[in-house]
Amino acid sequence: MTEQQIRFVARLGAAMSASNYPVTLVRDMLERSSGKYSVITDVVALPNHVQVVGPVGAGGSVVKTAHVEKPLRFDQVFPLARLVSAARSARVSPADGEALLDEILDRPAPYPAWVTILGYGIQSAGLALVLEPTWLNTLTAFVLGLLVGVFWTTGQRMDGLAALTPVVSAFVVTAICVIGAQHLGLDHVGLRALIPPLAMFLPGAAITLSVIELTSRDVISGSSRLIAGFIQLIQLAFGILIAAQLLRMTEDHLSAVAVNRIGPWAPWLGVAVYSIGVMLFLAPPRSFLPWLLLITYAAYLAQFVGDLTLGSYASGFCGGLVLTVAALVISRRQTAPPAITLILPGFWLLVPGSMGLIGITELFGAEGDSALPATLISMISVAFGLQAGLVIWQLTRRKAARRSD
């Protein structure tokens, strides 16, 4: 029985890692679950590998390692979070837990591919309304979002193409925008117009998790996530740069200035459109929509107020802080979804990598000497906000616990 218990918690930890849980939380779950199952273990948790060592009979020990080949889909995170909660309090036996875990990992996608593609197009249009509200940009973002959605779904079915999807998508999106601008006689291409169709590739989650893990002294995990995030960001910038150079577009024709030709209400509508797109693209349970709207509007409002009062870089910090605290408060309700599912969609809305993408694409221009610092600050700002939210939540919980004692 001990061997099965160790195998179960190892596999559960690997599934958590594949769902973008910080290794700090993975290790905490493994230790707590092992204690509830009355097993003393040593744990090693990495982003793509988990190892659990425990005693088994006559002074011997058993070593169980586990990893999940592909990241879990967003819809799989909901039943996984319930299983994690059950395991932390030993409310599920190891045998039943493994059966439930197998069922989660083998669960088919809730929607057919065309719904996923449509959802990403709507999500892209919503982000266009948030970042640069013009009717042309919104329509373009929707169409290009559909195209990138096709690339993404194809890459998910063909492992060899998955690694090339960010570069190919960035190249095609930029090329279409440049050719379209030339055809319409526009004097520039807005860099913000390129971001919505490419939002799924922005490494906001990777950068945020890396900061959390590095500050928690999980150096190996944090460093690996940080490098992976920068590589993905460079892939996007590479695709944009190659398309711009092939079509002979200079830095004078690229602009990062925000334009709003619809009205001040457009970004607020964009948050709702974005949330509807997320529901179709990521396919969470339908009951998730009210919570998603609540969390996205809270995060965007905090970012908006932070931008007005503290400036653009601090706005990401404010958005990340409120996003985290709101998600943790909401998750305390019995019928609410787990906090991890509330936080993940907020990354794309806050777009922690968007300013970084703009900065890197300007490296070949006249302002290249200041682009890299802007890139680092803009991405890490949201990460520090999220971490600050976690600290505030922990301090509040400790004070509440002392008062109850």
Side-chain angles (χ1 to χ4, degrees):
M1 177 62 73
T2 301
E3 183 173 351
Q4 187 177 45
Q5 292 168 341
I6 295 173
R7 184 177 65 243
F8 168 54
V9 295
R11 292 187 61 203
L12 187 58
M16 291 177 66
S17 295
S19 302
N20 279 328
Y21 278 83
V23 296
T24 307
L25 294 182
V26 175
R27 186 167 52 248
D28 177 72
M29 185 283 300
L30 293 172
E31 293 172 351
R32 286 175 178 266
S33 299
S34 299
K36 289 294 183 178
Y37 290 121
S38 301
V39 178
I40 300 175
T41 59
D42 291 323
V43 172
V44 176
L46 299 172
N48 60 352
H49 178 85
V50 169
Q51 176 177 291
V52 181
V53 181
V56 56
S61 61
V62 59
V63 179
K64 293 295 181 182
T65 61
H67 72 280
V68 176
E69 294 291 340
K70 294 182 178 181
L72 267 67
R73 299 188 311 272
F74 189 71
D75 64 279
Q76 294 173 302
V77 177
F78 291 82
L80 177 66
R82 291 193 292 269
L83 181 58
V84 168
S85 178
R88 284 170 63 94
S89 56
R91 288 184 283 107
V92 60
S93 67
D96 292 340
E98 284 203 86
L100 289 172
L101 185 57
D102 288 334
E103 180 182 337
I104 293 171
L105 296 177
D106 295 336
R107 174 178 292 195
Y111 301 142
W114 70 267
V115 175
T116 302
I117 294 170
L118 176 62
Y120 190 68
I122 296 173
Q123 175 182 313
S124 179
L127 284 177
L129 287 171
V130 172
L131 293 175
E132 188 164 357
T134 71
W135 294 117
L136 178 60
N137 281 346
T138 303
L139 177 60
T140 302
F142 174 72
V143 174
L144 292 179
L146 296 178
L147 183 60
V148 173
V150 171
F151 292 158
W152 183 81
T153 54
T154 303
Q156 295 300 302
R157 298 176 181 179
M158 303 176 66
D159 294 336
L161 294 178
L164 297 176
T165 303
V167 176
V168 173
S169 298
F171 176 84
V172 172
V173 166
T174 304
I176 292 175
C177 287
V178 171
I179 294 173
Q182 293 173 346
H183 180 73
L184 294 174
L186 302 179
D187 58 356
H188 73 278
V189 174
L191 288 171
R192 290 174 176 267
L194 303 179
I195 294 170
L198 303 175
M200 74 163 76
F201 305 117
L202 295 174
I207 299 298
T208 301
L209 291 174
S210 70
V211 171
I212 293 174
E213 291 169 350
L214 287 171
T215 53
S216 300
R217 298 186 179 181
D218 289 308
V219 179
I220 296 176
S221 299
S223 300
S224 62
R225 289 193 199 271
L226 188 63
I227 293 172
F230 276 117
I231 291 297
Q232 190 161 336
L233 197 64
I234 291 171
Q235 284 182 303
L236 292 176
F238 179 76
I240 292 174
L241 289 171
I242 293 300
Q245 289 181 356
L246 285 177
L247 296 171
R248 301 185 183 280
M249 173 162 280
T250 66
E251 65 272 12
D252 296 334
H253 297 97
L254 293 172
S255 172
V257 178
V259 177
N260 187 342
R261 295 177 180 171
I262 298 179
W265 51 269
W268 302 96
L269 174 62
V271 175
V273 175
Y274 164 82
S275 300
I276 294 172
V278 167
M279 291 296 296
L280 296 175
F281 177 59
L282 297 181
R286 294 179 181 178
S287 59
F288 184 65
L289 180 58
W291 303 111
L292 177 61
L293 289 170
L294 178 60
I295 198 72
T296 51
Y297 272 108
Y300 182 72
L301 177 61
Q303 188 179 46
F304 179 79
V305 173
D307 184 34
L308 292 178
T309 57
L310 302 175
S312 58
Y313 292 136
S315 67
F317 177 87
C318 296
L321 189 153
V322 171
L323 171 67
T324 304
V325 173
L328 291 170
V329 170
I330 291 172
S331 65
R332 297 293 296 175
R333 296 180 60 89
Q334 187 173 4
T335 59
I340 189 68
T341 62
L342 291 166
I343 292 174
L344 287 176
F347 289 143
W348 285 343
L349 181 62
L350 295 176
V351 197
S354 64
M355 286 193 64
L357 180 59
I358 292 172
I360 288 182
T361 54
E362 290 177 346
L363 286 178
F364 68 93
E367 300 178 358
D369 56 346
S370 62
L372 189 56
T375 298
L376 295 174
I377 295 172
S378 61
M379 287 190 297
I380 294 175
S381 174
V382 175
F384 281 144
L386 190 146
Q387 188 180 30
L390 290 173
V391 172
I392 291 173
W393 175 256
Q394 291 171 354
L395 292 176
T396 304
R397 295 287 295 167
R398 288 176 184 174
K399 288 183 179 180
R402 291 174 183 173
R403 291 175 181 175
S404 62
D405 292 339

PDB file of all heavy atoms in Angstrom, residues 8-21:
ATOM      1  N   PHE A   8       1.049   7.507  -6.213  1.00  0.00           N
ATOM      2  CA  PHE A   8      -0.082   8.409  -6.448  1.00  0.00           C
ATOM      3  C   PHE A   8       0.309   9.863  -6.229  1.00  0.00           C
ATOM      4  O   PHE A   8       0.040  10.728  -7.077  1.00  0.00           O
ATOM      5  CB  PHE A   8      -1.247   8.033  -5.521  1.00  0.00           C
ATOM      6  CG  PHE A   8      -2.340   9.056  -5.461  1.00  0.00           C
ATOM      7  CD1 PHE A   8      -2.964   9.512  -6.628  1.00  0.00           C
ATOM      8  CD2 PHE A   8      -2.752   9.595  -4.250  1.00  0.00           C
ATOM      9  CE1 PHE A   8      -3.966  10.471  -6.578  1.00  0.00           C
ATOM     10  CE2 PHE A   8      -3.752  10.552  -4.190  1.00  0.00           C
ATOM     11  CZ  PHE A   8      -4.355  10.992  -5.363  1.00  0.00           C
ATOM     12  N   VAL A   9       0.956  10.167  -5.107  1.00  0.00           N
ATOM     13  CA  VAL A   9       1.301  11.564  -4.840  1.00  0.00           C
ATOM     14  C   VAL A   9       2.343  12.058  -5.848  1.00  0.00           C
ATOM     15  O   VAL A   9       2.333  13.241  -6.233  1.00  0.00           O
ATOM     16  CB  VAL A   9       1.798  11.760  -3.391  1.00  0.00           C
ATOM     17  CG1 VAL A   9       0.677  11.470  -2.405  1.00  0.00           C
ATOM     18  CG2 VAL A   9       3.019  10.916  -3.087  1.00  0.00           C
ATOM     19  N   ALA A  10       3.231  11.184  -6.315  1.00  0.00           N
ATOM     20  CA  ALA A  10       4.210  11.588  -7.335  1.00  0.00           C
ATOM     21  C   ALA A  10       3.508  11.932  -8.641  1.00  0.00           C
ATOM     22  O   ALA A  10       3.801  12.951  -9.274  1.00  0.00           O
ATOM     23  CB  ALA A  10       5.238  10.484  -7.546  1.00  0.00           C
ATOM     24  N   ARG A  11       2.578  11.103  -9.065  1.00  0.00           N
ATOM     25  CA  ARG A  11       1.848  11.360 -10.311  1.00  0.00           C
ATOM     26  C   ARG A  11       0.990  12.614 -10.187  1.00  0.00           C
ATOM     27  O   ARG A  11       0.867  13.397 -11.139  1.00  0.00           O
ATOM     28  CB  ARG A  11       0.968  10.169 -10.671  1.00  0.00           C
ATOM     29  CG  ARG A  11       1.728   8.906 -11.074  1.00  0.00           C
ATOM     30  CD  ARG A  11       0.761   7.853 -11.581  1.00  0.00           C
ATOM     31  NE  ARG A  11       0.040   8.344 -12.755  1.00  0.00           N
ATOM     32  CZ  ARG A  11      -1.135   7.868 -13.156  1.00  0.00           C
ATOM     33  NH1 ARG A  11      -1.744   6.927 -12.447  1.00  0.00           N
ATOM     34  NH2 ARG A  11      -1.721   8.354 -14.241  1.00  0.00           N
ATOM     35  N   LEU A  12       0.397  12.804  -9.014  1.00  0.00           N
ATOM     36  CA  LEU A  12      -0.429  13.991  -8.806  1.00  0.00           C
ATOM     37  C   LEU A  12       0.432  15.252  -8.853  1.00  0.00           C
ATOM     38  O   LEU A  12       0.032  16.262  -9.438  1.00  0.00           O
ATOM     39  CB  LEU A  12      -1.155  13.890  -7.463  1.00  0.00           C
ATOM     40  CG  LEU A  12      -2.193  14.977  -7.150  1.00  0.00           C
ATOM     41  CD1 LEU A  12      -3.272  15.012  -8.216  1.00  0.00           C
ATOM     42  CD2 LEU A  12      -2.812  14.740  -5.764  1.00  0.00           C
ATOM     43  N   GLY A  13       1.612  15.197  -8.269  1.00  0.00           N
ATOM     44  CA  GLY A  13       2.523  16.332  -8.331  1.00  0.00           C
ATOM     45  C   GLY A  13       2.956  16.643  -9.748  1.00  0.00           C
ATOM     46  O   GLY A  13       3.053  17.817 -10.143  1.00  0.00           O
ATOM     47  N   ALA A  14       3.197  15.611 -10.555  1.00  0.00           N
ATOM     48  CA  ALA A  14       3.579  15.825 -11.953  1.00  0.00           C
ATOM     49  C   ALA A  14       2.441  16.472 -12.735  1.00  0.00           C
ATOM     50  O   ALA A  14       2.673  17.338 -13.586  1.00  0.00           O
ATOM     51  CB  ALA A  14       3.967  14.489 -12.584  1.00  0.00           C
ATOM     52  N   ALA A  15       1.211  16.063 -12.452  1.00  0.00           N
ATOM     53  CA  ALA A  15       0.062  16.684 -13.126  1.00  0.00           C
ATOM     54  C   ALA A  15      -0.089  18.140 -12.728  1.00  0.00           C
ATOM     55  O   ALA A  15      -0.432  18.996 -13.560  1.00  0.00           O
ATOM     56  CB  ALA A  15      -1.214  15.911 -12.792  1.00  0.00           C
ATOM     57  N   MET A  16       0.184  18.458 -11.462  1.00  0.00           N
ATOM     58  CA  MET A  16       0.141  19.852 -11.028  1.00  0.00           C
ATOM     59  C   MET A  16       1.205  20.679 -11.749  1.00  0.00           C
ATOM     60  O   MET A  16       0.945  21.804 -12.178  1.00  0.00           O
ATOM     61  CB  MET A  16       0.349  19.933  -9.513  1.00  0.00           C
ATOM     62  CG  MET A  16      -0.789  19.393  -8.678  1.00  0.00           C
ATOM     63  SD  MET A  16      -0.414  19.454  -6.899  1.00  0.00           S
ATOM     64  CE  MET A  16      -0.350  21.236  -6.614  1.00  0.00           C
ATOM     65  N   SER A  17       2.391  20.125 -11.889  1.00  0.00           N
ATOM     66  CA  SER A  17       3.458  20.830 -12.601  1.00  0.00           C
ATOM     67  C   SER A  17       3.062  21.103 -14.042  1.00  0.00           C
ATOM     68  O   SER A  17       3.375  22.162 -14.599  1.00  0.00           O
ATOM     69  CB  SER A  17       4.757  20.016 -12.553  1.00  0.00           C
ATOM     70  OG  SER A  17       5.239  19.903 -11.231  1.00  0.00           O
ATOM     71  N   ALA A  18       2.372  20.135 -14.650  1.00  0.00           N
ATOM     72  CA  ALA A  18       1.924  20.301 -16.032  1.00  0.00           C
ATOM     73  C   ALA A  18       0.748  21.268 -16.152  1.00  0.00           C
ATOM     74  O   ALA A  18       0.339  21.594 -17.265  1.00  0.00           O
ATOM     75  CB  ALA A  18       1.531  18.948 -16.622  1.00  0.00           C
ATOM     76  N   SER A  19       0.226  21.730 -15.020  1.00  0.00           N
ATOM     77  CA  SER A  19      -0.892  22.683 -15.015  1.00  0.00           C
ATOM     78  C   SER A  19      -0.460  24.073 -14.580  1.00  0.00           C
ATOM     79  O   SER A  19      -1.294  24.894 -14.206  1.00  0.00           O
ATOM     80  CB  SER A  19      -2.003  22.174 -14.085  1.00  0.00           C
ATOM     81  OG  SER A  19      -2.453  20.902 -14.472  1.00  0.00           O
ATOM     82  N   ASN A  20       0.855  24.328 -14.572  1.00  0.00           N
ATOM     83  CA  ASN A  20       1.413  25.645 -14.223  1.00  0.00           C
ATOM     84  C   ASN A  20       1.258  25.986 -12.754  1.00  0.00           C
ATOM     85  O   ASN A  20       1.179  27.166 -12.394  1.00  0.00           O
ATOM     86  CB  ASN A  20       0.804  26.753 -15.081  1.00  0.00           C
ATOM     87  CG  ASN A  20       1.448  26.842 -16.449  1.00  0.00           C
ATOM     88  OD1 ASN A  20       2.637  26.562 -16.606  1.00  0.00           O
ATOM     89  ND2 ASN A  20       0.676  27.227 -17.451  1.00  0.00           N
ATOM     90  N   TYR A  21       1.246  24.981 -11.874  1.00  0.00           N
ATOM     91  CA  TYR A  21       1.369  25.259 -10.450  1.00  0.00           C
ATOM     92  C   TYR A  21       2.832  25.568 -10.149  1.00  0.00           C
ATOM     93  O   TYR A  21       3.728  24.890 -10.663  1.00  0.00           O
ATOM     94  CB  TYR A  21       0.960  24.044  -9.625  1.00  0.00           C
ATOM     95  CG  TYR A  21      -0.517  23.859  -9.412  1.00  0.00           C
ATOM     96  CD1 TYR A  21      -1.305  23.241 -10.361  1.00  0.00           C
ATOM     97  CD2 TYR A  21      -1.121  24.278  -8.232  1.00  0.00           C
ATOM     98  CE1 TYR A  21      -2.672  23.041 -10.163  1.00  0.00           C
ATOM     99  CE2 TYR A  21      -2.492  24.083  -8.015  1.00  0.00           C
ATOM    100  CZ  TYR A  21      -3.248  23.458  -8.988  1.00  0.00           C
ATOM    101  OH  TYR A  21      -4.584  23.267  -8.780  1.00  0.00           O
TER     102      TYR A  21
END
